[in-house]
Amino acid sequence: MTDARPSHAPADHPVLPKEKVGVLIANLGTPDGTDYWSMRRYLSEFLSDKRVIDYPAWKWQPILQGIVLSVRPSKSGAAYRSIWNTEADESPLMTITKQQVSALKTVLAERYGDRVMVDFCMRYGNPSTPSKVRAMVAAGCTKILFCPLYPQYAGATTATANDQFFRALMAEKWQPASRTLPPYFEDPAYVDALAQSVERAVGDTLPDVLVCSYHGLPFRYLTEGDPYHCQCQKTTRLLRERLGWEKERVITTFQSKFGPEEWLKPYTVEEVARLAEAGKTRIAVIAPAFSADCIETLEEINEEIRESFEHAGGESFTYIPCLNDDPPHIAALAGRIGAELRGWVD
């Protein structure tokens, strides 16, 4: 079936695209470049999000615009330059997201043919969520499954991505039916993909400790009802059980603390130093909350957190890459997507 004019419609009726179901993959975002102004635009959008920093605007915006964005773009730009994909002139997150989407397109095309359209967007930066929703609607998507690639739900990740998707739908004259991908922190295929990545990285030489480092949140968010902390703990437990390792060998920590508030603890950068000082000189670090390697993993974990461990006397630090476009990860995502598409394409 191709684009066509509806039957019984007058000759001047516009041709309509074939109806499709859209699968829109969403990730956090990336600056367009590492220069000061690209970084400032990106950080201003990110740090102005009330889901991320929920202080009153009258209190936070003068600090953000006058102090933070005068200093942080240069520092963040230097960090991005240390990991930048210079060949493609884009961040690793952008490169990997494109690879993931390409792999998902192949799997879903084999399953559904041309009935499903797969694309991606970013919550911050480009390609924007509204631009991709608009493109899907224009291509004939009367239904869209929106898929934030965050295994564990948090207001500052999953919810803000969904918020932006819903705002994009508000601009559509003919609004598509929509669904959002639920968290998949305990999905057996996702946990198995994590376990396979650990086994591949460490081989027969087990680390003294496997550190599961998740992005952090203010502790206050937990007390206000955000389930993120509990979902992270469950992912770690399920991963340990799948590996068959004793409880003391696998721990949960949190990274990327920002601002003066107390955040979820223990902090990864401090905990790895404590482990080294306690004689745990061989550790491996995995980041189960990140679906793709990015600044928080390639620079923060593999550079800053590694340095903290080694400075405290650690001898062997193994960073286990994110699942990225590993086939078990793509299979797990395709499985979750397929479950949510039931009734739409089956």
Side-chain angles (χ1 to χ4, degrees):
M1 181 178 177
T2 58
D3 297 355
R5 186 176 292 105
S7 60
H8 309 296
D12 60 351
H13 191 287
V15 171
L16 297 179
K18 174 186 175 182
E19 287 192 10
K20 305 179 186 69
V21 173
V23 173
L24 186 55
I25 305 300
N27 216 319
L28 180 74
T30 171
D32 295 324
T34 62
D35 60 282
Y36 175 84
W37 289 108
S38 293
M39 292 304 311
R40 184 179 177 110
R41 284 193 299 272
Y42 173 73
L43 290 171
S44 181
E45 183 181 9
F46 175 44
L47 296 176
S48 293
D49 187 346
K50 295 287 286 185
R51 291 277 195 179
V52 175
I53 307 289
D54 64 354
Y55 300 149
W58 65 265
K59 181 179 181 180
W60 172 238
Q61 282 298 321
I63 298 173
L64 174 62
Q65 301 298 330
I67 301 174
V68 176
L69 293 180
S70 295
V71 177
R72 194 171 178 90
S74 297
K75 181 179 179 181
S76 295
Y80 268 98
R81 280 191 292 277
S82 73
I83 64 166
W84 200 251
N85 181 347
T86 54
E87 183 177 348
D89 192 23
E90 62 189 20
S91 72
L93 177 65
M94 180 67 76
T95 302
I96 293 166
T97 301
K98 289 177 180 178
Q99 293 168 343
Q100 291 172 324
V101 170
S102 177
L104 283 170
K105 282 181 178 179
T106 298
V107 173
L108 296 180
E110 291 173 354
R111 188 176 300 174
Y112 304 116
D114 63 356
R115 292 177 293 164
V116 171
M117 174 182 178
V118 184
D119 207 341
F120 77 96
C121 64
M122 299 293 182
R123 170 60 183 89
Y124 314 105
N126 297 306
S128 71
T129 304
S131 71
K132 289 299 184 175
V133 169
R134 178 85 285 277
M136 282 193 160
V137 171
C141 293
T142 57
K143 303 177 180 70
I144 297 178
L145 172 63
F146 185 69
C147 305
L149 291 192
Y150 303 113
Q152 299 80 19
Y153 173 96
T157 55
T158 309
T160 189
N162 288 341
D163 289 346
Q164 192 74 339
F165 174 59
F166 300 145
R167 280 190 286 266
L169 292 178
M170 291 171 64
E172 293 302 319
K173 293 290 185 184
W174 187 352
Q175 201 174 64
S178 62
R179 294 173 179 172
T180 59
L181 186 71
Y184 49 96
F185 62 97
E186 58 186 347
D187 180 77
Y190 157 71
V191 173
D192 186 62
L194 288 175
Q196 289 186 54
S197 73
V198 173
E199 292 166 340
R200 185 167 60 244
V202 304
D204 295 328
T205 306
L206 299 189
D208 296 330
V209 177
L210 172 65
V211 178
C212 296
S213 181
Y214 298 83
H215 67 77
L217 290 177
F219 180 79
R220 172 172 53 87
Y221 289 16
L222 169 62
T223 64
E224 292 171 349
D226 195 302
Y228 177 71
H229 179 268
C230 298
Q231 293 184 3
C232 292
Q233 295 286 0
K234 186 164 187 180
T235 295
T236 297
R237 176 175 63 79
L238 293 173
L239 173 59
R240 176 179 58 79
E241 291 173 353
R242 161 60 179 79
L243 290 168
W245 294 2
E246 61 270 28
K247 187 175 182 180
E248 296 73 19
R249 199 182 291 273
V250 185
I251 66 172
T252 297
T253 64
F254 299 91
Q255 64 181 86
S256 309
K257 182 181 183 298
F258 177 80
E261 281 192 78
E262 178 186 358
W263 280 39
L264 298 175
K265 292 182 177 179
Y267 302 141
T268 305
V269 68
E270 296 178 358
E271 185 65 10
V272 297
R274 189 197 67 77
L275 288 171
E277 291 166 355
K280 306 295 186 182
T281 59
R282 297 180 55 85
I283 69 169
V285 181
I286 189 171
F290 297 92
S291 64
D293 275 306
C294 55
I295 191 74
E296 287 87 353
T297 63
L298 298 175
E299 195 275 335
E300 185 177 359
I301 292 179
N302 208 26
E303 294 182 21
E304 294 178 27
I305 291 169
R306 175 191 291 271
E307 182 180 345
S308 174
F309 176 69
E310 293 175 348
H311 182 73
E315 297 174 1
S316 175
F317 182 101
T318 300
Y319 170 62
I320 301 171
C322 292
L323 295 177
N324 297 327
D325 64 339
D326 284 353
H329 186 214
I330 298 303
L333 291 175
R336 297 311 312 151
I337 289 168
E340 297 304 317
L341 290 179
R342 287 176 186 149
W344 276 4
V345 292
D346 294 342

